[in-house]
Amino acid sequence: MTIALNETHDASLRSWVTSANDGNTDFPIQNLPFAVFRRAGSSEAFRGGVAIGDQVLDLAALRAAGLLTGDAAGACAAAAKPSLNDFMAMGSTAWSALRLALSRLLRVGAAQEASVQACLLAQRDVEYSVPAKIGDYTDFFTSIHHATNVGKLFRPDNPLLPNYKWVPIAYHGRASSIGVSGESLHRPVGQVCGAGQTVPVVQPSRRLDFELELGIWIGTGNAQGKRIKVADAEAHVFGLCLLNDWSARDVQAWEYQPLGPFLAKNFGTTISPWIVTMEALAPFRAPFTRAASDPQPLHYLDAPAVWQSGSIDIQLDVLLETEKMRAAKQSAQPLARSNFVESYWTVSQMVAHHTVTGCNLQPGDLFGSGTMSGPTDESRASLLELTVGGKEPITLATGETRTFLEDGDAVILRAHCEKVGAARIGFGESYGRIVPAIDLT
């Protein structure tokens, strides 16, 4: 399961793309994440690209230049298509071969620098699409801190349900409404039945929220009826992105029993365009821990490699940008900071649990990690938690207050990995803005 460090992770590597070397970029040569893009405002076909500094390496142009051979050439041809599904389906040998070839082409001293330079476009001049055709979307619930915080709002004496520490809880979400960073979402309309009401009303949500999550992209799938073992699970994972699971809390409160979220979640999910590969994340692996007093993972969720390096140290941030901030050209205000290492279940455990029934995953399927709250007040990764169910409004630097999102608000998610001896890598950002509801009439 563990991906070995190799020459692509060398922290001393430098690129001839100078913007990749400043130490603060999300996209140094040690990262090389994948997206699907085209020139902004054009009618060009979308195609695969790789981030390097403030540039995008056009994989279709690189393929046409004929600079790659062997496995890397075949992988580049697949990754250059309008979606990454075929590339994802090729598996880790192909993914790694292309990553290595690109690293060598982009390093200082590469003989092909001039030819590769012609394949670059500035990121400020491009637009993105969802990077793969998503067949299915499953949203997990893997932060015990989020589960506890939310549970306390409804069950103060018993916030966690009995199954939480045994089962990686999840629900089946809506794939068709997943959009890419930069999108605007209409405030959802739905049935609401508040305290003291006996008849629901249909209205725009008044308790609209964000959830700070990671997205987990499946690469190679499995045949129906064939389980993926937890020790083999990460070989089936292509990489991770940022994911904002927008939530209409008032709609959710009325509809979620007995079958769980539906309209409260189906109107939109916003992801970052760049997929950071599992190989790029190899330097930032961390041991998985579980309190001795808690139930230990059942056998199909347990393997030595899970304990040794099943967690990933990824710092996660959420910021809010209001209309007033935008008009005054003020920076977005940080709301919360947490870390994926706090997740109660690992990526490999999510995959193993999803397939224990024999469920068949497919290239391009997407998982949400669930809201990644941490143990402190500052790491509560949704407004539901930050405002204690809307009872304690947040005061912003502009003097505005928020319990839930208002029209014009934009939510920005960011993430990065950083440690001594490794190059800092990041995920870019997920940006989504709320606009007024569509008139029901």
Side-chain angles (χ1 to χ4, degrees):
M1 182 179 73
T2 303
I3 296 174
L5 298 182
N6 56 50
E7 65 180 81
T8 67
H9 301 107
D10 184 348
S12 68
L13 289 179
R14 294 294 179 267
S15 174
W16 49 261
V17 180
T18 56
S19 60
N21 303 324
D22 70 7
N24 294 313
T25 178
D26 278 357
F27 307 126
I29 195 169
Q30 293 84 357
N31 193 350
L32 304 179
F34 290 83
V36 166
F37 80 100
R38 68 181 178 189
R39 286 180 176 84
S42 76
S43 57
E44 295 175 347
F46 281 100
R47 64 268 194 192
V50 168
I52 179 71
D54 60 5
Q55 304 291 299
V56 181
L57 177 60
D58 184 337
L59 295 180
L62 184 67
R63 179 195 181 200
L67 301 178
L68 300 175
T69 59
D71 288 345
C76 184
K81 294 180 179 181
S83 73
L84 296 177
N85 297 70
D86 287 349
F87 178 49
M88 291 173 165
M90 295 179 77
S92 58
T93 298
W95 307 337
S96 187
L98 181 55
R99 175 182 162 80
L100 176 60
L102 296 179
S103 175
R104 290 173 174 173
L105 287 174
L106 291 165
R107 294 177 197 176
V108 168
Q112 305 94 334
E113 176 180 340
S115 298
V116 180
Q117 176 73 43
C119 303
L120 295 178
L121 294 88
Q123 289 179 27
R124 65 175 180 271
D125 296 332
V126 309
E127 61 188 12
Y128 302 98
S129 179
V130 174
K133 294 178 181 177
I134 304 170
D136 270 302
Y137 166 51
T138 300
D139 197 18
F140 281 85
F141 191 44
T142 63
S143 166
I144 195 169
H145 305 292
H146 174 65
T148 302
N149 292 339
V150 173
K152 283 179 179 178
L153 297 176
F154 304 101
R155 301 177 302 276
D157 298 328
N158 188 27
L160 283 183
L161 294 174
N163 63 352
Y164 187 85
K165 294 182 178 181
W166 294 99
V167 179
I169 300 295
Y171 72 93
H172 190 195
R174 184 72 185 175
S176 64
S177 56
I178 296 174
V180 75
S181 179
E183 69 176 350
S184 294
L185 291 96
H186 289 280
R187 180 175 295 275
V189 172
Q191 280 195 34
V192 174
C193 193
Q197 291 180 285
T198 56
V199 177
V201 296
V202 181
Q203 65 183 33
S205 172
R206 295 175 183 171
R207 294 167 66 88
L208 185 57
D209 203 354
F210 65 83
E211 291 187 342
L212 171 61
E213 303 192 22
L214 283 173
I216 300 157
W217 288 95
I218 298 300
T220 52
N222 59 300
Q224 188 171 4
K226 183 176 176 61
R227 303 183 184 101
I228 295 176
K229 294 180 180 179
V230 69
D232 302 328
E234 284 195 13
H236 294 262
V237 178
F238 178 65
L240 309 182
C241 70
L242 290 161
L243 186 149
N244 184 351
D245 180 30
W246 304 96
S247 300
R249 300 300 188 186
D250 42 2
V251 176
Q252 184 176 359
W254 173 237
E255 73 173 6
Y256 85 104
Q257 294 185 10
L259 294 180
F262 179 33
L263 300 187
K265 303 275 192 176
N266 77 347
F267 61 93
T269 302
T270 305
I271 61 173
S272 55
W274 295 105
I275 305 176
V276 177
T277 64
M278 297 302 285
E279 186 170 23
L281 292 166
F284 307 101
R285 304 309 297 250
F288 168 68
T289 60
R290 178 63 58 85
S293 58
D294 281 0
Q296 299 305 292
L298 296 179
H299 69 91
Y300 76 100
L301 299 172
D302 193 9
V306 172
W307 296 95
Q308 293 162 10
S309 59
S311 296
I312 313 174
D313 185 357
I314 305 173
Q315 183 171 294
L316 305 166
D317 294 278
V318 58
L319 304 91
L320 178 66
E321 177 190 75
T322 68
E323 287 275 26
K324 188 173 182 179
M325 292 174 188
R326 225 166 5 253
K329 297 184 179 180
Q330 294 179 333
S331 298
Q333 180 167 327
L335 290 184
R337 168 170 287 184
S338 63
N339 196 298
F340 189 51
V341 79
E342 298 282 354
S343 181
Y344 197 75
W345 300 101
T346 69
V347 170
S348 56
Q349 288 169 328
M350 290 181 234
V351 173
H353 182 67
H354 204 305
T355 64
V356 71
T357 59
C359 172
N360 54 318
L361 301 179
Q362 298 175 333
D365 281 356
L366 182 65
F367 295 175
S369 64
T371 308
M372 277 294 109
S373 298
T376 65
D377 290 348
E378 295 75 20
S379 61
R380 296 180 176 186
S382 68
L383 284 171
L384 183 68
E385 297 166 86
L386 288 167
T387 68
V388 192
K391 298 175 183 177
E392 299 178 11
I394 296 170
T395 300
L396 304 175
T398 56
E400 301 171 274
T401 61
R402 289 291 185 275
T403 51
F404 292 96
L405 298 172
E406 296 187 6
D407 291 347
D409 287 351
V411 175
I412 303 165
L413 309 185
R414 295 176 182 155
H416 72 275
C417 302
E418 191 169 15
K419 65 177 284 188
V420 175
R424 177 195 183 280
I425 67 172
F427 286 69
E429 70 176 31
S430 167
Y431 179 102
R433 183 177 175 184
I434 301 301
V435 298
I438 299 173
D439 191 340
L440 276 175
T441 60

